[in-house]
Amino acid sequence: MIIKTSGIVLSTIRYSDSSVIAKIYTEKAGLQSCMVRTGKGKNALPKLAMLQPLSLVEVSFTNDDRKSLKNLRSMEREVALNGIPFDTMKTCIALFMAEVIGRAIAEEEGNAGMFSFLKNAILLLDHTEGSVNNFHLKFLVEFSRYLGFYPHQRSATESYFDLMEGEFSAFEPIHPYFMEGLVTQRFHELVEIEMSAHSTVRMTNDIRRQLLQKLIDYYRLHLHGIKEINAHKVLEEVLS
């Protein structure tokens, strides 16, 4: 059966002089590894440009459950991104988001709600004209909703966030996996706002780095088998 579907490019690995293996999260078939024939030299540039992290594409392939590597029949750009490829901060955030998505999702089946969220988040990042310094933090908060561990809400008296339980607490947890102080306050503010209001939360770069590390720990605790996330190190350099 031939499947034609929208997709989000997450990463690529060079396979030969004229082809790459691309990891693509698709709307209809979930996460797929696809062989993409790019051609050589200058002829390869148009397809390679479509394979940048978080590129929005439309692909078709034969769905054969016996083969883990799909051969693409076609690939076209679905939406042209005009901000992410040309803005250093947005590019770094895109690399981070692509790595998180690729490590968090393992299913080879469609999830229309999750795909819609991811596509809208990419378009929001691409179109945002102001600061995007908090975008990756708000993305992690909202993505956790689709992964099954969105934070429970809190009352005004709760000063800690228990990473293991996924909830705010008035008392310091007996284990080391928690947020406290200003990090908890800024995190609560991020939970409360809409995705498009990501820039309204004010925090120092130091608090931003601490919060990012805590959120990565949060993901590691709730996604069994998730490996080290590396792209955030580049983000920290850009934000320093």
Side-chain angles (χ1 to χ4, degrees):
M1 178 177 67
I2 296 175
I3 291 181
K4 187 173 185 180
T5 179
S6 297
I8 299 167
V9 178
L10 300 179
S11 62
T12 59
I13 299 174
R14 173 63 64 179
Y15 181 77
S16 70
D17 290 343
S18 59
S19 61
V20 300
I21 296 174
K23 184 182 288 187
I24 303 175
Y25 182 61
T26 69
E27 182 176 18
K28 294 180 180 178
L31 188 64
Q32 298 290 335
S33 293
C34 304
M35 178 71 73
V36 184
R37 313 290 179 182
T38 60
K40 297 182 179 180
K42 292 182 179 179
N43 294 329
L45 295 180
K47 277 198 172 178
L48 291 175
M50 277 194 285
L51 291 169
Q52 297 302 305
L54 297 193
S55 290
L56 300 172
V57 296
E58 185 172 80
V59 297
S60 65
F61 56 87
T62 301
N63 190 31
D64 186 343
D65 292 336
R66 297 170 299 176
K67 297 181 180 180
S68 59
L69 184 62
K70 305 297 192 296
N71 284 298
L72 286 191
R73 298 169 62 92
S74 66
M75 180 176 71
E76 299 177 356
R77 192 186 303 277
E78 185 176 65
V79 180
L81 301 180
N82 298 311
I84 292 173
F86 308 106
D87 182 294
T88 300
M89 187 63 193
K90 289 183 178 181
T91 299
C92 291
I93 291 174
L95 289 169
F96 173 75
M97 288 171 60
E99 183 177 4
V100 170
I101 296 166
R103 296 190 185 281
I105 299 174
E107 297 87 358
E108 292 186 1
E109 58 183 42
N111 184 325
M114 182 181 290
F115 186 87
S116 178
F117 161 72
L118 293 173
K119 182 176 179 179
N120 288 334
I122 293 166
L123 292 174
L124 178 59
L125 173 62
D126 192 64
H127 296 159
T128 296
E129 296 183 355
S131 172
V132 293
N133 286 3
N134 296 334
F135 191 91
H136 55 301
L137 303 175
K138 182 58 178 172
F139 169 76
L140 289 176
V141 172
E142 293 304 314
F143 191 27
S144 71
R145 186 192 303 274
Y146 297 88
L147 297 171
F149 51 94
Y150 188 74
H152 298 297
Q153 295 293 5
R154 76 163 199 173
S155 70
T157 61
E158 295 170 331
S159 303
Y160 301 92
F161 181 75
D162 188 322
L163 300 177
M164 295 187 72
E165 298 298 327
E167 61 185 15
F168 292 91
S169 172
F171 305 100
E172 181 176 331
I174 59 174
H175 54 74
Y177 304 108
F178 62 88
M179 300 180 195
E180 62 181 328
L182 282 176
V183 176
T184 306
Q185 292 178 30
R186 299 298 173 261
F187 177 57
H188 178 248
E189 291 174 21
L190 282 173
V191 172
E192 289 290 303
I193 61 173
E194 296 293 326
M195 188 84 175
S196 59
H198 55 88
S199 64
T200 62
V201 179
R202 304 299 180 186
M203 66 182 86
T204 65
N205 285 340
D206 183 57
I207 293 296
R208 191 175 287 114
R209 283 191 294 268
Q210 290 183 55
L211 181 50
L212 174 57
Q213 187 58 62
K214 291 295 185 182
L215 283 170
I216 290 173
D217 291 342
Y218 186 45
Y219 269 63
R220 289 188 185 130
L221 286 168
H222 292 272
L223 292 176
H224 298 295
I226 193 169
K227 298 180 180 178
E228 178 73 22
I229 297 173
N230 297 308
H232 75 285
K233 298 174 183 176
V234 178
L235 268 176
E236 290 176 350
E237 290 295 324
V238 174
L239 287 168
S240 63

